[in-house]
Amino acid sequence: MGYTMVYGSVRLARIHARRHLINWQWPGDVQDAVLIVSELVTNAISHGWKRGHELSLRLAVLEDGSLLIDVSDPGRAFPRFGERIESGEGDERGRGLRVVRELGGEVGWFLRQHCGKTVRVRLASFE
């Protein structure tokens, strides 16, 4: 699903994810998955914005019940991916991937062939 790269799209992506996971009867923690979607979409808007481009969200349930969350944006780099950024008390920025990992998400990323990158999170269902 494609979204404009504005912060209002974060809410729409959360609604989309929640609706699909409930309809699919995904056995994992839907609230955690929706929070991960929110963090990834926010990061894409904050760090991958490029005029005239959209971001995309893709959800897929694998055979083992785990969930793949892909968020793609037009940015071709992820310069601080491996860093553990410590945010101070009250900071609203710099905690997105840490939150994703604390919720059990396995995070990776890859370049897309024609434009940008995809950040992929795998989240176990813990059936």
Side-chain angles (χ1 to χ4, degrees):
M1 179 113 199
Y3 297 94
T4 56
M5 294 191 76
V6 297
Y7 289 106
S9 293
V10 176
R11 179 178 173 274
L12 298 175
R14 285 194 308 256
I15 291 168
H16 169 87
R18 181 176 290 111
R19 182 176 298 138
H20 281 306
L21 295 174
I22 289 170
N23 285 341
W24 294 340
Q25 298 179 359
W26 184 61
D29 190 320
V30 171
Q31 290 304 107
D32 284 356
V34 169
L35 179 55
I36 289 171
V37 166
S38 181
E39 294 295 338
L40 295 179
V41 171
T42 299
N43 282 352
I45 295 165
S46 297
H47 305 293
W49 183 87
K50 202 177 222 181
R51 182 179 302 281
H53 289 265
E54 291 187 334
L55 66 89
S56 66
L57 168 65
R58 179 181 163 270
L59 304 171
V61 177
L62 303 178
E63 287 182 20
D64 66 359
S66 62
L67 176 67
L68 279 188
I69 304 168
D70 285 350
V71 175
S72 301
D73 66 56
R76 298 232 4 122
F78 205 145
R80 298 173 65 186
F81 174 74
E83 291 181 28
R84 296 284 187 196
I85 300 169
E86 296 300 322
S87 53
E89 188 173 323
D91 284 350
E92 289 296 316
R93 299 181 58 96
R95 58 183 176 82
L97 290 182
R98 187 180 76 211
V99 168
V100 170
R101 289 181 179 114
E102 287 174 358
L103 293 173
E106 299 172 21
V107 186
W109 73 283
F110 54 91
L111 291 175
R112 293 172 32 208
Q113 185 175 6
H114 298 291
C115 178
K117 69 178 172 304
T118 296
V119 177
R120 173 171 285 169
V121 173
R122 182 170 184 237
L123 186 61
S125 68
F126 299 112
E127 282 189 286

